[in-house]
Amino acid sequence: MKLVNKILNVAIVVSVLLAFTILGVFVWNIVQVSSSISIGKPSMKFLDSKIELPINISNLGPFSIHEISVKVIVFDEYGVKILEGTTEPLKVEPASTLQTKIVMNLNVSTLPLEKLLTENENLSVKANVSISVLPVVKVTGKFMYELTWDAPLRELKIEKPKVSFYNATRLQVLLPISFENENRFVPVDTKVEVRVFNATSNVQVGLGYINIKAPPTSSFSGNLTTLVKLDRSTVSLLFNDKLLRFRVEFTGTYGNASISFRRLFNLSWGAPISNLKVGIPSLHLYNLTHIKFVLPFNFTNNSEFITANGSLRGVALDLKNNVVGIVEPLSFNVTPKKFFSGELVGYIETSVLTEKAVILKLTLQTSFGSVEIEREMTLHV
Amino acid sequence: MSKLLDVQFNKKTLAVRLVVATILGVLSFLVFYFIPSNLSTILSLITTPNVRRIVSVLLLTVIDPNLSSVGLLITLLTLLYALLYGSKVHGYITTSLGLSFVAYAYLLFHGGSISIEIPKELIPRLSGVITLNLKLLMILFMLPGFLIALKGILEIVEKFNRRS
C-alpha cells in the first residue's frame, strides 16, 4: 500500500507539472506564432473574384496550427446576402515557416455594384473564423460587424443635357455629370466610356469618354461631350415635336475591374418646322401669258437650339403632270422658338385656266435634307 | 499530549501542523479564492480605465461565479488536510480535496468549452462570440485532482482494513 501511495504521490506531482508545462508551452507557442505573423497588402482581383492576402507565419512548435479558415458573408440592410467569401484552409506544421497567400474566393455574381457605388448602405459583415492548435485547443469565432458603406459615386447626376446642332444627322450633346465621393477610403480615378443608346430602338447613337478623378470625400463635376446620331427619320424630326429617350451606359475601369451602370435621360425635341400651314392662294392676271399667285405659309421653329434655315422652291404641274409654272425660291432663316410667316410667289401659264386646279410641287431644302411637298391649288382668277 | 481523531498531538507537532496548515491555507486562499475573485481589481492597478472596463466585462464571462465558492472550499479542505494529517478522517478530507480540485478545473475551463462574448466597448459596432475548445487542457488539469481523490480513497480503504 505504501508503494501505491508513493506511486500516486509521484503521479500527482508529474500530472501537475505536465499540466502546467503543456499550458506554458502552448502559451509560448501561441505567442511566438502570433508575433511571427506578418500580413502583406491585400490585392483585390474582381475579375477573378478573389481577394489575396499575403501572409507569413512561423511555427517553432511543438504544436501544429491547423485549419486556419475564414468565411465572410456580407448582407445589405434588408438582410439579403450580397457577397460571400471563403478562404482555403491553411496548415502550419511545427518547426516550419509558411509563406503563402490567403485566398478568399468571392461570389460577386450577386454583388449589386451599381447600388454600392451610388448609394450609402448599412452593411452587416458576418465572419466565421476557425483555428485549431492541435491537439490542445480549437478556437472558433463568430463575428458580426456593422459596416457603414459610403458610396463613392453618391448623388450621381446627369444634369439636363445641353444640345446643339452639329450636322443634319448628329447633335452635339453636352452631359454635365456630377457626384460626391463620400467614401473615406476609395478614390475614384478612372476613364469612363459613355455609350448613348436610343432607349426605344436600343440602337447605339453616341460614344464618348470622360476622365473622372475624385479623391476620397470630395466632389466631382465635369462635362461629357458626345455626338448623338439622330437615328429617327429626319423628316419626321423636321416637322414633329417628340420626346427622345436615351439611355447612357457608363463603363469605368478600376484596376482589373470593370464596372458598368446606366442612366436614362430624355430630350424634348422641338421640330424646327412645326405646325407648317399653307394658306389660300390669291391669283392675279400678271400678263397675257401668265397668272401670278401668292401663297401664304407659316410655321414655328419649336427647337430650342436649331435655327431653321433653308429654302422653298417648286413648280406648278397640270393634271397631266406637265410643267405649267414656277415658284420663286424663298429663303428663310428662323431662329429657335420664333414664328415665321412668308409668301410664296409663283407664275403659271394662262393656258391652264381651262383646268380646275394645278398641283404645286414644292421642294423644302433644309440642312436636315430635302422634302417634297405637293399641294393642289384651285384656280379662281 | 492530547489525542484528536486518532492523532496524538504534543505542543511541537501541533505548532508545526498549525504553521504548515496556515501556510498552505493562505496559499490556497490566494490562488484559488482571492486572485480569481479580485482579478479585475488587481488588473485595474496595472491597466488604463478603458482596458479595465473591457477586462472586467471579459472576466465576467470567463470566470464562473461558482469558482470562488469552490476555491474557498479548497482552502478549508487544505487547512484540514494539513491539520488532521494521519487522522481517521484524513482519507475523506483528501478525497474531498481531490474532487474539489476536479470541480475547480471543470469550472475554470467551463466544462472544456469557453464562450467569450466580445464586449461592445472593445471595437465599436463589432459583436461576436469566441469559443475555445479546451477539453484536453481541462482533462490535464483535472488529472491531479482525480489522483488526489484516488489517494484519499486508498487511505480510507487502508484505515478500514486496519480496523477490521
Side-chain angles (χ1 to χ4, degrees), chain A residues 1 4-5 8-9 11-12 15-16 18-20 22-23 26 135-148, chain B residues 109 118 123-137 140-141 143-144 147-148 150-151 154 157-158 161:
Chain A
M1 201 57 103
V4 176
N5 242 332
L8 268 177
N9 284 340
I12 289 164
S15 65
V16 170
L18 187 72
F20 280 99
I22 287 178
L23 179 68
F26 168 73
V136 187
V137 169
K138 183 173 183 180
V139 184
T140 51
K142 288 182 177 178
F143 307 98
M144 181 72 95
Y145 185 67
E146 290 165 20
L147 175 73
T148 306
Chain B
F109 289 97
I118 297 170
I123 302 168
R125 292 186 291 175
L126 178 83
S127 59
V129 178
I130 297 171
T131 308
L132 299 158
N133 190 333
L134 298 159
K135 276 200 173 70
L136 188 81
L137 267 182
L140 271 173
F141 277 85
L143 190 60
L147 291 170
I148 291 168
L150 182 63
K151 203 183 150 193
L154 285 175
V157 171
E158 194 187 355
N161 286 343

Side-chain angles (χ1 to χ4, degrees), chain A residues 167-201:
Chain A
N167 64 26
T169 56
R170 283 179 171 80
L171 298 174
Q172 184 167 288
V173 178
L174 192 83
L175 285 170
I177 297 171
S178 64
F179 65 86
E180 302 276 336
N181 181 359
E182 293 187 354
N183 199 290
R184 283 170 293 160
F185 308 105
V186 179
V188 179
D189 185 2
T190 182
K191 184 179 185 180
V192 175
E193 184 186 86
V194 185
R195 292 172 188 271
V196 185
F197 291 83
N198 180 321
T200 314
S201 65

Side-chain angles (χ1 to χ4, degrees), chain A residues 303-370:
Chain A
S303 177
E304 288 179 1
F305 46 85
I306 294 173
T307 298
N309 54 19
S311 65
L312 198 60
R313 65 184 71 216
V315 290
L317 304 171
D318 66 8
L319 297 177
K320 289 170 192 161
N321 234 13
N322 299 316
V323 176
V324 292
I326 56 151
V327 178
E328 282 184 347
L330 175 74
S331 295
F332 55 85
N333 191 307
V334 187
T335 52
K337 295 288 175 190
K338 294 289 178 193
F339 178 77
F340 174 79
S341 176
E343 288 180 334
L344 274 175
V345 177
Y347 304 92
I348 50 173
E349 294 167 8
T350 48
S351 57
V352 295
L353 284 173
T354 51
E355 307 267 349
K356 283 183 179 173
V358 289
I359 306 294
L360 290 178
K361 194 173 181 181
L362 304 170
T363 303
L364 180 66
Q365 186 84 41
T366 69
S367 49
F368 277 87
S370 299

